[in-house]
Amino acid sequence: MAWHANGQFDPVEDTPFITSPTNTPVGLDIASSEDTQDGHPIGNEDAVWKKDHAITVAEHDKDTNQEPQKKKWWQKGKKKKEKKEKPPAVAFKALFRFADWKDKCLMCFSFVCATIVGASLPAFCYLFGALMNDLNNATAQEIEQKTNEICLIMTLIGVAEWVLCTLYVAAIEVSSARQMRILRTTFFSSILKQEVAFFDGEKSGELTNRLSSDVQIISGLMGVKIANLVQYVATFFFAYAFAFWQSWRLTLIMLCVMPIMAVCGGIMAKLVANFTTKAQDTYATAGGIAQEVLSSIRTVQAFCAMERECERYGVKITEVEKVGIKKGFWLGMSQGVTFFVLFGSYALAFYYGSYLIEWGLNTGGTVVAVFFSVLIGAFQMGAAGPIFTDIAQARGAAYHVYHIIDRHPSMVVDDPTSEKLESLQGQIEFNHVAFRYPSRSDVPIFNDLNLTIKPGQTVALVGPSGSGKSSIISLIERFYDVEGGNITVDGVQLQKLNLQWWREQIGIVTQEPTLFSASVLDNIKYANPAATQEDIIQACKDAYIHDVISKLPNGYDTQVGEGGSQLSGGQKQRVAIARAIIKNPKILLLDEATSALDRQSEMIVQEALQNVMRGRTVITIAHRLVTIQDADLICYIEPRDPSAPEGSYASFSHLLESGSHKVLVAQNGAYARMWNTQMQAEQGPESPGSPSSPSVLKKHGLTFEQANEEVFHDVEESAGNKQGKRDKAKAKAENKKSKLASLKRTAKLNKPEWCWVTLGVIASAIAGTSYPIYAVLFSEVVNVFYQPNIREEVWKWCLLFVGLGTLNLISIVVKLYCLNYAGEKLTTRLRAMLFRALVHMEIGFFDMPGNESGALCARLASDTTEIQHLWGGAIGTNVQAGVCLVMGIIIAFIVSWNLALVTASAVPAMILAGIINTKFMFGFNQKSGTAFEAAQQVATESISGCRTVFAFNMQKAQVTRYDSLLEGPRRQALIKGIVSGFFFGFSQFIIFGAFALSYWYGGQLVADGTLTFDQVLKCSFALLMGAMGVGEVYSMAGDQTSAVQAADRVYEILDRVPAIDTTAGGQVLAQVQGSGSFKDVGFSYPSRPDVKILRHLNLDFASGQRIALLGSTGCGKSTIISLLMRYYDPTRGDIDIDGVALKDLDVNKWRDRIGIVSQEPVLFDDTIEANIKYGKPDATEAEVHLAAKRAHMHQTIMSLPDGYKTQVGAKGSQLSGGQKQRVAIARCIIRKPQVLLLDEATSALDNVSEREVQAALDEIITADRMTVITVAHRLTTIKNCNMIVIMDHGKILEQGTHEELYALGGDYKRRYDQYYGL
């Protein structure tokens, strides 16, 4: 990986897998690179990464079926203690693996500057010790002269530290931003390099959470914190080197406590790393739940599952909370013991120092200088303690990140050693292919599949749902590799072909097309980045979507929304067709490519596809056999028989029949039966005088352009050009919330833990007194060193130091445990509140830009944690620092009010610097946060739509898009580093300046006889400890600034009142009859208010009626379904249900009476049983089985090894389209709804399954007397409806029964004749 000479970073070409020379991933302590299995390094096998990410000897013995050795007689009765696994973590140096030579130079420069800064305090100790010796028994004039010299040197040191701090912070921030950009991009790129089977075994929500939270943990360390660590360590070593030089005896005595401190630090790091890893793993699961729920919010709200999902999410975040509380306790214990040992060492040093002075081995000034130097070194290591904790957390987080980065996929997309055919003919052969999905290895698909597809041939795959048709498409795309046999292309094995080149030859349109949150132009261009504007327009014309796009206000630059949510189903599918066409592929794969289109649109697009298909090899899957009867070869795939003996021919899906349509019909086999069944179902009315015509368009006298104008003139359901303008203005106005308001709000939320907060604050205040008390004790001990009775006095002060250490131990443990307890409770509460608020938001909220599921999940993961920096431990630190400052000032004023007043004059400058720094950081963090949310959304969409990304070789485009969004924060890093470094350096300069001022004026007062030098010392030291407290507060300014930003984002959502409040209650109908009416209804989507969808719609339906909505794609049919579900409210007019206004009804109670099956059903990553019970959580097993039987899914489920406990995968990816839709139907009918809404509910089913499911639905509808409103493009499913409504342009054109409308001779008759080819 490298930054090119022009300073640009190529995120794909420059992100190879980074490994050690032995191909073992850097920093990952797994198997030795020399260990091999079947000729491959074990370290490269994904199987190595077990739960604990390591293979133990016991596990190896178990896997190799070795019998355990019998115990000897002397071993009997002894139980061997099992060795616990170490928490997984990478080596520290591996955190910097993405630093190039520029980054290394910047880091070295920063570390050199930080090291010099670290030497400033030991230098001060030397000067201070020399001053103490020189001032002993000195005259007033000598005291004034010496103090003036010291003050000048201190001022110069302060100026140098100011400059160096600015430089080292700026350098490390730039280096960190560069490295983190590469890490994020490399991680994302590595995810997209994995094979499809990897995603089948991983939850997409967990992957996106890793990309967000784990990388953020690493990023939090890699900036100024790591440079601060260098400064602290440099101070420690310089301080101890000086101490040894001055008095090795006294230094050794003080060093004897270092092993104790080391043990405490080691225990803390180990425990924190362990708890951190556990918390990350637990929240990864919670984040996966949030991602799944928010991306499927329509389904969640349709089944009133908001509270259920809140409970499911709440269980996981409660587990995270418990881990966090334990971590806080051990952190407090470790720090408390460390401070106790420190103060104990001070007592020991003073006591032993008195002997050294008495023996004449050292002077009082030398003892003070040594003690002060060791004290500063110890304090600096104490300040480094939290950074070591951050290192432990970052190492644990990096382990999971590097696991994926270093994982070698089983399929390499662009393997340079693979073959590229000079001239692709397109002959594909399946030779004795055996296959089963890796994630479901116990369910065989094929065992001996033989199929030949000749160049330029159109091959149709037909058969019942779940027979393996889509599996063949996946194998041709090489989403998976075969288990046995082989697939050849022009005689070359598919596995030997360059995968990227091969996929470039293929165009694919799936049943549920995936679009990305970008413009229409970008979505099409992803398939062919080299395409020109003219090429894209021509592809859209071929897909008959150009006129729709061109009429949009922003044309091809219109944003389609998350998952194409701003487009109708048909519009999405036509954009997907244009995306396939733009590739100009040699091979075209069509998996129910027109299933979302009405018949008229389907015919037009089919005609367009016929033009595109010429000269290409085409493999198509279709349930409507009339669309594939002209195929060169039709293959009927017989599904596996679950009741057949294991290993038998019937226990695998197999090619039963193949041939042309005429041949197969003549054979009178399975295909012929399917054809006859479908033709009987689609038999049209007798219409003498209406002979068949070879071209429906010609029969009606329509040109393609005229037909296109009729079908696609409605653009109301396409995205508008004013998305988000109001939101942006609102966000700009609401960004002015004050920190004080956020603090008050956060304090209210922590009210249940007020006793813990109060106790923590009291403990913080007590801990804050320790530094000023230490200043007094230290000054008194120094004074004793110059007294004749030194041995008699010093032991009293040493006992007080031990008491102060004990006080610190108790107060720090109580402070950290109590405030961490309250902080974890607050985070859990905020996450639960934010998640509950999100799931109860109206659907229009999720349509708005910036409210995509990926961005919202990032807020749940990060923002709620950031708020702890505003409250929780932060308030304890602020109170401790405040008490330290105030008490130091009070002590200083008691000793000498005039000296204290002069010294304290530097405090306002320090506070002002902190305020200005905070304002700058606020702006930087706001811009960076917006960019990171946008980048996270790109990652979320790419991971959830990985099959589309792979099929169109979009990995590089998506990674480039992701990387470009990270460019802004990288560019801001220099300015941010300079600003923060400037003010940080200024705060350090103020400390030295305050001392210089204090000693200069104190020298004047001593010379005048107003004060003694020990009073100057006591006053100065008291203010020093106060200044150290202030420095600690402002060292957290960045965190607190981020916390204010995070609080504003979270509270903005919490304060938002949903336009449709599902918690507000309302009128409840005792018995829903199912009658309703639309009265002069007008509607526009909230995200595009200027575009009218429905215009003066008037529609009445009676109880028990079956109403069908028919019309061109995008005419507003699905909008009516959404309004009845009350996803939205009409912008004008009223909707009544049983005589009551729909907006007055209790939303949840109303939705409880409704069942809905949508065109693209959403299943959750759970078992089949859980997905069916989603419609009725308290359903019994018998009810679940009955619902599955009615949906004709029971036998399929029982054929699976785990039956109803079978996991369906993310979005139901482990099921075929038809199986998903039948599970969705079962989920719907288990509710026994009074109103049934069917939006193309059977579009994914083959005709036999459709007929059976439709018959079952008819039986249920009749028995339960349901009111049914259905949207369908297959007229066979709506011919028997009580009322058919023909819609166009948001208005009703015709309505009536089938007979009435057909006799009318209008639009319905034209559509019906087109459908049956009359």
Side-chain angles (χ1 to χ4, degrees):
M1 167 183 324
W3 290 81
H4 299 307
N6 59 5
Q8 296 298 314
F9 166 65
D10 190 325
V12 175
E13 294 180 358
D14 293 343
T15 53
F17 295 106
I18 300 174
T19 58
S20 67
T22 58
N23 284 333
T24 301
V26 175
L28 298 177
D29 298 327
I30 50 175
S32 169
S33 61
E34 296 179 358
D35 297 334
T36 60
Q37 181 177 339
D38 298 331
H40 299 286
I42 292 177
N44 293 342
E45 295 293 333
D46 189 47
V48 173
W49 297 83
K50 301 293 185 183
K51 182 178 180 181
D52 293 321
H53 309 279
I55 293 182
T56 64
V57 174
E59 289 172 336
H60 176 73
D61 290 344
K62 183 178 178 181
D63 291 342
T64 53
N65 296 321
Q66 293 179 3
E67 293 184 4
Q69 295 180 357
K70 293 182 179 180
K71 291 184 178 181
K72 305 296 182 181
W73 62 268
W74 60 82
Q75 294 176 322
K76 292 182 179 180
K78 295 183 180 181
K79 189 174 181 181
K80 189 176 180 180
K81 189 176 180 180
E82 294 183 2
K83 187 178 179 180
K84 292 185 178 180
E85 294 286 344
K86 292 182 178 180
V90 303
F92 174 70
K93 66 178 181 180
L95 294 174
F96 304 94
R97 62 186 288 182
F98 297 106
D100 61 11
W101 68 270
K102 290 184 180 179
D103 297 317
K104 291 175 182 178
C105 289
L106 286 170
M107 286 191 295
C108 288
F109 176 74
S110 177
F111 295 161
V112 168
C113 293
T115 302
I116 297 173
V117 170
S120 61
L121 286 177
F124 169 77
C125 296
Y126 171 75
L127 295 172
F128 184 76
L131 178 65
M132 294 292 297
N133 288 328
D134 291 340
L135 295 182
N136 185 32
N137 299 321
T139 63
Q141 186 178 0
E142 291 174 338
I143 290 176
E144 184 178 2
Q145 181 184 352
K146 289 293 182 182
T147 52
N148 288 343
E149 291 177 3
I150 289 291
C151 291
L152 178 60
I153 295 174
M154 283 185 179
T155 303
L156 293 175
I157 292 175
V159 172
E161 193 160 344
W162 187 355
V163 174
L164 291 171
C165 284
T166 303
L167 293 175
Y168 94 65
V169 172
I172 199 65
E173 285 289 351
V174 171
S175 175
S176 171
R178 286 164 53 90
Q179 291 180 69
M180 286 304 100
R181 179 187 176 187
I182 298 174
L183 172 60
R184 292 178 191 272
T185 305
T186 305
F187 186 26
F188 181 50
S189 176
S190 298
I191 291 174
L192 294 188
K193 285 180 180 178
Q194 305 306 316
E195 70 279 5
V196 172
F198 169 81
F199 294 89
D200 292 342
E202 296 279 342
K203 295 182 184 293
S204 62
E206 290 189 15
L207 286 173
T208 54
N209 190 68
R210 294 283 182 207
L211 188 57
S212 172
S213 60
D214 285 5
V215 174
Q216 186 61 39
I217 290 172
I218 301 171
S219 176
L221 170 72
M222 299 296 287
V224 71
K225 285 185 179 179
I226 202 71
N228 286 344
L229 178 63
V230 172
Q231 177 188 335
Y232 298 151
V233 172
T235 301
F236 173 80
F237 281 109
F238 279 122
Y240 274 87
F242 167 74
F244 270 103
W245 176 50
Q246 289 287 291
S247 177
W248 61 269
R249 296 180 181 85
L250 181 58
T251 306
L252 282 177
I253 289 296
M254 297 188 71
L255 276 177
C256 70
V257 300
M258 290 300 292
I260 301 175
M261 294 179 62
V263 169
C264 293
I267 293 174
M268 180 182 70
K270 183 177 180 180
L271 289 172
V272 168
N274 196 7
F275 285 123
T276 299
T277 301
K278 189 174 180 181
Q280 289 165 355
D281 291 340
T282 305
Y283 190 76
T285 304
I289 293 173
Q291 173 64 39
E292 184 178 51
V293 169
L294 295 179
S295 63
S296 310
I297 191 64
R298 289 174 182 261
T299 302
V300 172
Q301 292 197 2
F303 291 95
C304 301
M306 292 82 76
E307 293 304 319
R308 278 182 274 155
E309 296 297 352
C310 288
E311 183 178 351
R312 187 160 70 110
Y313 181 73
V315 169
K316 291 300 177 182
I317 60 175
T318 302
E319 293 176 11
V320 179
E321 171 196 302
K322 291 177 181 177
V323 176
I325 290 173
K326 291 179 181 178
K327 183 173 73 173
F329 172 75
W330 289 108
L331 190 63
M333 282 294 296
S334 183
Q335 288 189 15
V337 171
T338 299
F339 274 97
F340 174 76
V341 174
L342 271 178
F343 281 109
S345 69
Y346 302 159
L348 179 63
F350 286 138
Y351 189 76
Y352 182 67
S354 66
Y355 277 94
L356 294 177
I357 294 172
E358 187 178 29
W359 296 337
L361 297 174
N362 291 120
T363 63
T366 302
V367 171
V368 170
V370 169
F371 171 77
F372 203 26
S373 185
V374 174
L375 168 67
I376 288 176
F379 274 171
Q380 293 296 295
M381 288 305 291
I387 301 179
F388 284 114
T389 302
D390 292 335
I391 291 174
Q393 293 177 347
R395 289 177 61 209
Y399 180 83
H400 300 289
V401 174
Y402 292 176
H403 162 213
I404 295 176
I405 290 177
D406 293 324
R407 183 183 184 274
H408 290 242
S410 60
M411 300 180 188
V412 179
V413 175
D414 194 15
D415 185 356
T417 64
S418 56
E419 299 181 35
K420 296 181 181 180
L421 301 181
E422 292 183 3
S423 177
L424 176 66
Q425 301 301 316
Q427 176 153 327
I428 303 172
E429 296 182 22
F430 285 68
N431 301 309
H432 307 288
V433 166
F435 173 70
R436 66 186 73 209
Y437 287 99
S439 60
R440 199 184 297 162
S441 57
D442 50 357
V443 181
I445 306 298
F446 300 117
N447 185 47
D448 188 23
L449 178 66
N450 291 280
L451 173 64
T452 299
I453 303 169
K454 296 180 180 179
Q457 201 175 41
T458 296
V459 177
L461 305 177
V462 300
S465 298
S467 59
K469 303 183 296 296
S470 295
S471 297
I472 293 176
I473 297 291
S474 295
L475 289 173
I476 292 174
E477 276 279 5
R478 208 187 158 203
F479 287 155
Y480 305 94
D481 280 333
V482 298
E483 188 177 279
N486 60 71
I487 302 173
T488 62
V489 178
D490 294 347
V492 180
Q493 286 193 20
L494 180 58
Q495 289 181 334
K496 294 182 179 179
L497 292 179
N498 183 282
L499 188 53
Q500 181 174 341
W501 172 86
W502 171 242
R503 287 175 178 166
E504 286 174 356
Q505 315 306 312
I506 301 175
I508 185 171
V509 182
T510 60
Q511 186 176 353
E512 298 177 7
T514 299
L515 299 185
F516 298 94
S517 184
S519 67
V520 176
L521 179 72
D522 289 338
N523 269 282
I524 298 172
K525 197 170 184 178
Y526 284 146
N528 184 5
T532 64
Q533 182 84 6
E534 291 73 21
D535 295 334
I536 293 172
I537 291 173
Q538 185 59 49
C540 290
K541 287 180 178 179
D542 291 341
Y544 287 88
I545 190 67
H546 171 70
D547 287 353
V548 174
I549 299 171
S550 59
K551 290 178 182 178
L552 297 172
N554 286 338
Y556 280 84
D557 293 326
T558 299
Q559 297 292 315
V560 302
E562 182 178 6
S565 61
Q566 301 303 306
L567 303 179
S568 70
Q571 290 167 348
K572 284 171 60 178
Q573 210 150 16
R574 288 197 294 276
V575 170
I577 291 171
R579 181 173 62 188
I581 293 172
I582 198 70
K583 290 184 73 173
N584 191 24
K586 296 289 184 65
I587 299 169
L588 191 60
L589 307 179
L590 305 174
D591 188 354
E592 286 286 345
T594 58
S595 63
L597 305 181
D598 61 273
R599 179 56 178 158
Q600 183 174 349
S601 303
E602 181 184 38
M603 293 178 65
I604 296 171
V605 174
Q606 282 286 0
E607 191 78 17
L609 286 174
Q610 288 296 329
N611 296 329
V612 176
M613 289 160 60
R614 290 193 182 100
R616 291 184 170 91
T617 303
V618 180
I619 298 95
T620 180
I621 296 175
H623 290 145
R624 293 195 69 249
L625 301 185
V626 70
T627 63
I628 52 92
Q629 60 180 324
D630 295 329
D632 300 307
L633 180 66
I634 299 173
C635 299
Y636 184 92
I637 311 296
E638 180 73 12
R640 59 185 292 269
D641 182 359
S643 62
E646 184 178 350
S648 65
Y649 181 72
S651 65
F652 300 92
S653 294
H654 51 275
L655 177 59
L656 186 64
E657 299 173 357
S658 63
S660 66
H661 171 72
K662 289 182 179 180
V663 171
L664 292 178
V665 171
Q667 287 180 358
N668 199 26
Y671 175 81
R673 288 191 295 273
M674 178 180 280
W675 170 265
N676 293 333
T677 301
Q678 188 172 130
M679 290 304 99
Q680 290 172 5
E682 296 189 354
Q683 187 175 2
E686 295 182 2
S687 299
S690 300
S692 323
S693 172
S695 173
V696 175
L697 294 174
K698 290 180 181 179
K699 175 183 183 302
H700 286 277
L702 295 174
T703 64
F704 272 108
E705 289 75 15
Q706 291 169 333
N708 184 68
E709 186 66 25
E710 284 194 24
V711 177
F712 302 121
H713 65 278
D714 183 19
V715 299
E716 284 74 8
E717 284 198 78
S718 300
N721 67 327
K722 296 186 179 180
Q723 293 179 344
K725 284 187 178 179
R726 297 183 181 183
D727 270 7
K728 289 180 182 177
K730 182 179 178 182
K732 190 175 181 180
E734 292 187 357
N735 273 337
K736 298 180 180 179
K737 290 184 177 181
S738 67
K739 178 179 176 180
L740 183 60
S742 297
L743 187 63
K744 289 180 178 178
R745 180 79 174 271
T746 307
K748 275 188 176 180
L749 287 174
N750 231 163
K751 189 174 181 181
E753 290 76 40
W754 262 110
C755 57
W756 295 94
V757 174
T758 303
L759 191 59
V761 169
I762 293 173
S764 299
I766 294 173
T769 64
S770 60
Y771 285 171
I773 292 174
Y774 161 77
V776 173
L777 296 180
F778 179 77
S779 301
E780 292 294 340
V781 169
V782 170
N783 187 45
V784 168
F785 283 163
Y786 294 99
Q787 302 298 324
N789 55 344
I790 178 174
R791 293 282 304 281
E792 297 177 5
E793 295 291 332
V794 76
W795 69 270
K796 300 176 184 177
W797 301 109
C798 290
L799 287 178
L800 288 175
F801 266 107
V802 174
L804 187 60
T806 305
L807 182 68
N808 253 292
L809 169 63
I810 298 172
S811 61
I812 288 176
V813 171
V814 173
K815 165 201 164 184
L816 287 178
Y817 179 75
C818 292
L819 292 180
N820 188 71
Y821 179 90
E824 291 293 336
K825 289 287 185 182
L826 173 67
T827 299
T828 302
R829 188 171 295 120
L830 278 169
R831 280 176 172 161
M833 290 173 63
L834 182 57
F835 186 74
R836 176 170 278 102
L838 289 172
V839 297
H840 284 287
M841 288 293 172
E842 78 281 2
I843 299 300
F845 170 82
F846 298 93
D847 294 340
M848 296 295 184
N851 292 340
E852 296 85 0
S853 60
L856 295 175
C857 286
R859 295 185 192 180
L860 273 169
S862 304
D863 286 357
T864 51
T865 305
E866 284 288 337
I867 294 178
Q868 277 202 54
H869 296 299
L870 192 65
W871 191 247
I875 192 173
T877 302
N878 292 338
V879 168
Q880 181 176 347
V883 169
C884 184
L885 175 62
V886 171
M887 192 168 179
I889 292 174
I890 290 173
I891 292 173
F893 269 89
I894 291 174
V895 174
S896 174
W897 67 268
N898 46 0
L899 178 58
L901 194 62
V902 170
T903 307
S905 63
V907 174
M910 188 181 299
I911 295 174
L912 181 62
I915 292 174
I916 297 173
N917 188 33
T918 300
K919 287 185 177 293
F920 272 102
M921 292 301 103
F922 191 88
F924 288 130
N925 290 330
Q926 184 180 29
K927 293 178 181 178
S928 298
T930 303
F932 287 138
E933 282 188 4
Q936 185 67 17
Q937 179 59 28
V938 171
T940 300
E941 286 188 328
S942 300
I943 292 170
S944 61
C946 61
R947 289 171 182 258
T948 301
V949 172
F950 296 155
F952 289 94
N953 285 326
M954 291 170 53
Q955 296 95 318
K956 184 173 183 178
Q958 291 299 86
V959 172
T960 302
R961 183 178 167 208
Y962 179 83
D963 184 69
S964 65
L965 292 170
L966 301 178
E967 176 63 16
R970 188 191 69 84
R971 289 181 176 177
Q972 295 169 6
L974 177 60
I975 302 174
K976 178 182 177 182
I978 292 174
V979 171
S980 59
F982 177 86
F983 288 107
F984 173 69
F986 179 71
S987 66
Q988 300 302 304
F989 165 74
I990 288 295
I991 293 175
F992 279 92
F995 266 103
L997 181 63
S998 179
Y999 284 140
W1000 172 78
Y1001 186 63
Q1004 303 295 321
L1005 295 176
V1006 171
D1008 295 342
T1010 306
L1011 293 177
T1012 60
F1013 189 74
D1014 65 301
Q1015 289 177 312
V1016 173
L1017 192 64
K1018 189 180 296 183
C1019 183
S1020 299
F1021 264 84
L1023 284 174
L1024 167 65
M1025 297 306 164
M1028 289 176 65
V1030 172
E1032 187 176 359
V1033 171
Y1034 284 114
S1035 70
M1036 297 178 61
D1039 289 337
Q1040 293 191 8
T1041 300
S1042 300
V1044 175
Q1045 273 281 331
D1048 287 348
R1049 289 192 293 266
V1050 170
Y1051 294 146
E1052 180 184 4
I1053 295 176
L1054 294 180
D1055 292 339
R1056 186 181 184 277
V1057 179
I1060 300 173
D1061 193 352
T1062 56
T1063 63
Q1067 187 173 343
V1068 179
L1069 297 176
Q1071 181 64 40
V1072 174
Q1073 301 299 321
S1075 62
S1077 62
F1078 285 69
K1079 300 176 180 177
D1080 196 34
V1081 168
F1083 178 72
S1084 299
Y1085 283 100
S1087 59
R1088 44 184 193 272
D1090 298 333
V1091 180
K1092 304 297 181 185
I1093 305 300
L1094 299 179
R1095 298 178 175 85
H1096 305 286
L1097 180 72
N1098 291 280
L1099 175 65
D1100 297 321
F1101 52 91
S1103 175
Q1105 268 194 328
R1106 298 181 65 176
I1107 298 93
L1109 303 177
L1110 188 64
S1112 301
T1113 302
C1115 68
K1117 305 182 298 295
S1118 295
T1119 300
I1120 292 177
I1121 299 293
S1122 294
L1123 289 174
L1124 284 172
M1125 285 299 302
R1126 212 180 163 210
Y1127 290 153
Y1128 307 93
D1129 280 336
T1131 51
R1132 59 168 294 167
D1134 296 303
I1135 303 173
D1136 292 342
I1137 300 295
D1138 293 346
V1140 180
L1142 179 58
K1143 63 183 179 182
D1144 293 334
L1145 293 178
D1146 184 297
V1147 179
N1148 288 331
K1149 297 296 184 184
W1150 165 242
R1151 288 175 180 167
D1152 276 335
R1153 309 295 179 88
I1154 301 177
I1156 183 171
V1157 182
S1158 60
Q1159 184 177 354
E1160 298 178 7
V1162 173
L1163 300 186
F1164 296 92
D1165 194 358
D1166 209 331
T1167 64
I1168 294 175
E1169 180 184 44
N1171 272 281
I1172 295 175
K1173 290 180 73 172
Y1174 206 80
K1176 186 182 179 184
D1178 58 348
T1180 63
E1181 183 179 341
E1183 289 177 308
V1184 172
H1185 289 197
L1186 178 60
K1189 288 176 181 177
R1190 287 181 164 185
H1192 288 264
M1193 187 60 183
H1194 178 71
Q1195 291 299 325
T1196 302
I1197 297 172
M1198 295 305 295
S1199 70
L1200 300 172
D1202 294 330
Y1204 281 85
K1205 300 298 183 183
T1206 300
Q1207 293 287 329
V1208 303
K1211 304 287 185 183
S1213 61
Q1214 300 302 303
L1215 303 180
S1216 69
Q1219 290 169 345
K1220 284 172 58 178
Q1221 211 151 19
R1222 288 202 295 275
V1223 170
I1225 291 170
R1227 178 177 63 188
C1228 173
I1229 61 182
I1230 200 173
R1231 294 165 67 88
K1232 297 182 179 179
Q1234 279 77 47
V1235 179
L1236 187 60
L1237 306 178
L1238 304 174
D1239 189 355
E1240 287 287 345
T1242 58
S1243 63
L1245 304 181
D1246 60 89
N1247 289 91
V1248 175
S1249 300
E1250 181 188 37
R1251 181 170 56 83
E1252 293 173 348
V1253 172
Q1254 192 65 49
L1257 285 174
D1258 290 342
E1259 180 184 345
I1260 297 167
I1261 291 167
T1262 304
D1264 297 344
R1265 191 172 168 73
M1266 296 179 187
T1267 301
V1268 181
I1269 298 175
T1270 181
V1271 174
H1273 293 145
R1274 297 183 186 178
L1275 300 187
T1276 54
T1277 62
I1278 65 170
K1279 190 169 71 172
N1280 297 324
C1281 289
N1282 303 108
M1283 181 168 61
I1284 300 173
V1285 178
I1286 311 299
M1287 295 187 63
D1288 185 54
H1289 211 201
K1291 296 180 180 179
I1292 295 177
L1293 293 182
E1294 303 168 1
Q1295 65 182 43
T1297 64
H1298 164 72
E1299 292 77 11
E1300 291 170 348
L1301 293 177
Y1302 195 82
L1304 187 65
D1307 190 76
Y1308 177 77
K1309 182 179 185 301
R1310 177 173 63 83
R1311 291 175 180 275
Y1312 196 82
D1313 289 346
Q1314 284 177 342
Y1315 187 80
Y1316 291 106
L1318 299 177

